Amino acid sequence: RAEEGYRDELADAERVLGDSRAALEEVGEVTAGEPGAALGRFVEGWASENLGWPERAESSYRAALRLDPALGDARVRLSLLLATRSFLESTTLQSKRGDGLGRALELAREAGEIAAPAATTRSGRIARDLAGALVAFAEKDFDGARRNAREGIGRHGSGPGIEWLHWMAGLADHGPEGLPAYDQAIALRPHFALARFCRGMARTSARDSTGALADYEDAIRFQPRFTAAYLNRAALRHDRDHHRPF
């Protein structure tokens, strides 16, 4: 039964990728003739994001908001994209390229500013709360990040988007302690590549190399251009092949 469920997840992911490619082709034809179409830019961003092109997605969402600052869906998606970038900048690998933590804080703050005008909607409030928790996380106020995430979960309950706050709770809990929160995020959205990636890191900390590799593999399946997942998978395989402790 579990194997059948996993096959269903992969089939759903492939369908989303197929829909995204089709949407990108269609919107390319539309926006070529009507470059002022904000909704078209939003769809272009959504499709690019699903296909693993975050830079292109960010550019499209920003273009959509320049054309229509009231386009709430574009605000939410851009805010979540910036939140993802904030986390990746805070990782050790990203931080080696410069002031990663400082950049993470800037991105988290911008994510909150982008989401704030959309806070009249549930998804906008979730994005705003996520950004607030990430600001605390980037400032190394892990108790504050955990509190913000848990309070947000309590306010918003279940439903679409809440998986982001469970993911945030996992980050704030650190290492193996974050596993229950990541499990919940993935149960809510099985294709959540970022949560699978983070669970892979938590499982590595718990010396569960088999589970960690499975999570990195899944993250890559659901987000084929997830560079950090490829790097972590390669490092874990290298340590395993050289019999190093995880």
Side-chain angles (χ1 to χ4, degrees), residues 20-167:
S20 298
R21 293 187 185 96
L24 201 56
E25 292 175 2
E26 291 179 12
V27 82
E29 296 174 1
V30 173
T31 55
E34 300 178 28
L39 185 58
R41 293 300 178 192
F42 167 74
V43 174
E44 183 179 65
W46 172 84
S48 297
E49 189 177 354
N50 283 324
L51 291 170
W53 298 325
E55 296 87 357
R56 181 172 179 176
E58 181 178 336
S59 177
S60 296
Y61 291 144
R62 291 188 186 279
L65 290 174
R66 283 194 297 270
L67 296 166
D68 183 0
L71 190 55
D73 286 344
R75 285 193 172 278
V76 171
R77 292 311 313 169
L78 177 57
S79 178
L80 295 176
L81 199 59
L82 293 172
T84 300
R85 285 184 57 199
S86 173
F87 161 68
L88 291 175
E89 285 288 348
S90 72
T91 64
T92 302
L93 179 64
Q94 296 286 340
S95 296
K96 288 179 180 177
R97 302 193 331 202
D99 184 13
L101 292 177
R103 182 60 179 147
L105 182 57
E106 291 176 5
L107 288 165
R109 286 174 173 164
E110 186 182 6
E113 293 168 1
I114 292 290
T120 55
T121 67
R122 180 178 180 278
S123 60
R125 289 190 291 273
I126 288 174
R128 179 199 59 193
D129 290 351
L130 173 65
L134 276 167
V135 167
F137 184 80
E139 292 176 335
K140 297 191 175 183
D141 177 9
F142 303 122
D143 288 339
R146 184 182 302 107
R147 182 174 58 254
N148 288 349
R150 295 296 181 189
E151 289 177 354
I153 292 168
R155 275 193 298 274
H156 305 299
S158 59
I162 199 66
E163 69 275 7
W164 282 96
L165 291 174
H166 285 285
W167 166 76

